[in-house]
């Protein structure tokens, strides 16, 4: 399949973005607006870039991870759709930053980021960021970085937290990561999940989704947590809960989804079962001690995206060098899921242009944006819901009578 076919397939299954694109084509909210983006560049992302371009924007895009670009899509986005693309799969660190710089040299009015690298770069290169009126951040890790910048008084333009919009994290983080992580692991290994012991590190929305889908495929799932509330939730959801040092002893697969570094260290790996397979579903490749393991034990590539290490006579396998397994070994989240996330991105970008915030803060996505995506989504799925009667609304707003 060529890049254009992949993009058109994605567009066909993105009904919400389709409605928004049509509106954008007419209203041109981004006329004279330059948008710089750093996102995982694959077919669904291309659909977002095209929608913004249809809205009148001049768009430049780079990848936000060295291994997540789909080269066919990148080529087509440039040649068939006229978007300025700076990305290819398998970037060195230098190339990765060279491309981010190219995107920023556009001197954007708006930025759209996934993970926070473009935002951080914009702050270190004020000569190219002086026109920025605001931006959006896609993911949990990026929002944590933004809030740290805000707390330190370093944030130089307003940013919107797309991750915490309901129509984003309830579906993308849970069902998107749940399905695409399994897709990546199965694609890389071609092994059965049923009957396996699977450890999921982290029980945030992503971890919940992975644990749920692993259980659905017949795995025996253990969860590790540092948060007592989430640990109890995982326990009551029916999962075994324990410290990594313990549960890794019987694990066939370990999947990290914490957003924290050093979740699986070399020390932890000394407890691991022979043949354990490690995969990361968090944004950065620092959840598993890949660099240290590679430096000390020199991995051997045994299959596309699978490296084997011999550590004290034990075989340890690491998928896609510890990078986001769902994108590096899979196809990213399902199309209908990214339809919702990218519709939130598109409408939040429009909101910034129409009502640019005055303060340099991290803002939640406006409820009107979340609500609009939900209502177009329901309509496109053909799902009807009930509405409250006036009597019920009055009841909800009253306090006098309990019975
Ligand atoms: N495709 C594009 N962006 C993605 C993301 N953040 N997660 C999973 N799949 C994606």
């Amino acid at each position: 399949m060529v890049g254009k076919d992949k993009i058109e397939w994605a567009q066909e299954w993105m009904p919400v973005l389709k409605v928004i694109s049509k509106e954008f084509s007419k209203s041109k909210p981004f006329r004279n607006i330059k948008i710089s983006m750093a996102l995982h560049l694959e077919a669904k992302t291309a659909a977002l870039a095209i929608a913004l371009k249809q809205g009148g924007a001049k768009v430049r895009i780079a990848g936000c991870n060295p291994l997540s670009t789909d080269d066919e899509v990148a080529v087509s986005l440039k040649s068939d759709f006229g978007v300025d693309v700076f990305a290819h799969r398998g970037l060195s660190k230098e190339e990765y930053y060279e491309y981010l710089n190219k995107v920023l040299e556009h001197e954007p009015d708006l930025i759209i980021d996934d993970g926070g690298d473009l935002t951080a770069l914009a702050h270190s290169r004020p000569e190219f960021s002086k026109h920025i009126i605001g931006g959006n951040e896609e993911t949990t890790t990026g929002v944590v970085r933004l809030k740290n910048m805000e707390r330190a008084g370093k944030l130089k333009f307003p940013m919107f937290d797309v991750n915490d919009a309901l129509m984003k994290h309830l579906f993308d983080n849970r069902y998107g990561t749940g399905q695409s992580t399994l897709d990546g692991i199965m694609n890389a290994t071609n092994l059965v999940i049923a009957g396996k012991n699977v450890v999921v590190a982290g029980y945030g929305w992503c971890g919940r989704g992975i644990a749920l889908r692993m259980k659905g495929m017949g795995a025996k799932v253990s969860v590790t947590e540092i948060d007592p509330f989430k640990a109890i939730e995982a326990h009551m959801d029916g999962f075994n809960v324990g410290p990594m040092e313990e549960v890794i002893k019987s694990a066939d697969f370990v999947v990290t989804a914490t957003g924290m570094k050093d979740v699986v260290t070399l020390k932890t790996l000394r407890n691991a079962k022979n043949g354990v397979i490690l995969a990361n579903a968090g944004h950065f490749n620092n959840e598993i001690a890949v660099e240290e393991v590679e430096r000390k034990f020199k991995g051997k590539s045994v299959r596309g995206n699978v490296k084997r290490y011999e550590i004290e006579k034990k075989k340890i396998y690491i998928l896609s060098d510890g990078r986001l397994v769902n994108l590096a070994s899979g196809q990213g989240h399902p199309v209908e899921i990214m339809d919702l996330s990218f519709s939130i991105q598109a409408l939040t970008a429009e909101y910034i242009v129409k009502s640019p915030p005055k303060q340099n803060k991290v803002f939640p996505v406006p409820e009107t944006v979340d609500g609009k995506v939900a209502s177009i989504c329901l309509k496109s799925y053909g799902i009807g819901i009930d509405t409250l009667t006036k009597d019920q609304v009055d009841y909800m707003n009253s306090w006098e009578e309990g019975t």
Side-chain angles (χ1 to χ4, degrees), residues 40-51:
H40 298 292
L41 183 43
E42 46 101 352
K44 288 88 84 179
T45 319
L48 171 63
I50 293 164

Side-chain angles (χ1 to χ4, degrees), residues 14 60 70 72 100 143 151 162 198 204 261 270 272 287 309 352-353 396:
M14 296 176 90
R60 274 197 192 184
D70 181 326
E72 290 178 350
L100 281 186
V143 171
R151 216 174 300 115
V162 165
V198 176
K261 65 176 189 168
R270 296 195 196 279
E287 303 208 14
Y309 297 88
I352 297 173
V353 172
M396 217 169 56

Side-chain angles (χ1 to χ4, degrees), residues 84-104:
D84 287 339
V85 176
F86 299 88
H88 64 81
R89 189 186 155 94
L91 298 173
S92 65
K93 195 169 180 177
E94 291 70 35
E95 287 170 319
Y96 176 74
Y97 278 101
E98 182 191 324
Y99 285 167
L100 281 186
N101 272 293
K102 285 259 184 285
V103 157
L104 190 66

Side-chain angles (χ1 to χ4, degrees), residues 104-261:
L104 190 66
E105 285 161 17
H106 194 34
E107 300 194 15
D109 303 287
L110 271 179
I111 62 168
I112 299 184
D113 202 3
D114 185 334
D117 285 345
L118 180 62
T119 310
L121 186 67
H123 280 74
S124 66
R125 305 214 59 190
E127 72 275 30
F128 297 121
S129 39
K130 50 187 180 293
H131 302 305
I132 297 178
I133 53 172
N136 298 344
E137 170 53 51
E138 166 87 2
T139 202
T140 320
T141 297
V143 171
V144 169
R145 290 174 82 182
L146 280 180
K147 292 201 169 153
N148 291 341
M149 291 170 84
E150 181 184 39
R151 216 174 300 115
K154 300 278 186 213
L155 196 61
K156 296 217 176 82
F157 42 81
M159 287 293 293
F160 281 77
D161 167 4
V162 165
N163 182 66
D164 287 299
L166 293 175
M167 289 303 290
K168 199 278 184 181
H169 74 269
L170 288 182
F171 308 104
D172 177 311
N173 301 30
R174 183 168 36 171
Y175 301 110
T177 310
Q179 181 169 327
S180 63
T181 298
L182 262 77
D183 173 41
I185 291 173
M186 293 190 296
N187 210 12
T189 65
N190 193 215
L191 295 176
V192 72
I193 303 289
K196 294 279 169 66
N197 290 324
V198 176
V199 170
V200 178
Y203 205 63
W205 289 107
C206 295
R208 287 180 186 117
I210 298 166
L212 186 68
R213 288 293 174 256
M214 284 288 185
K215 184 176 171 182
M217 291 286 285
K220 288 167 270 178
V221 180
S222 296
V223 168
T224 70
E225 249 306 334
I226 47 112
D227 178 323
F229 306 105
K230 288 183 184 155
I232 295 165
E233 188 186 356
H235 168 74
M236 292 217 185
D237 284 347
F239 299 113
N240 177 48
V241 179
M244 181 61 83
E245 303 255 333
E246 281 305 313
V247 291
I248 201 168
K249 288 178 185 162
S250 56
D252 299 299
F253 290 97
V254 177
V255 188
T256 53
T258 66
M260 179 49 66
K261 65 176 189 168

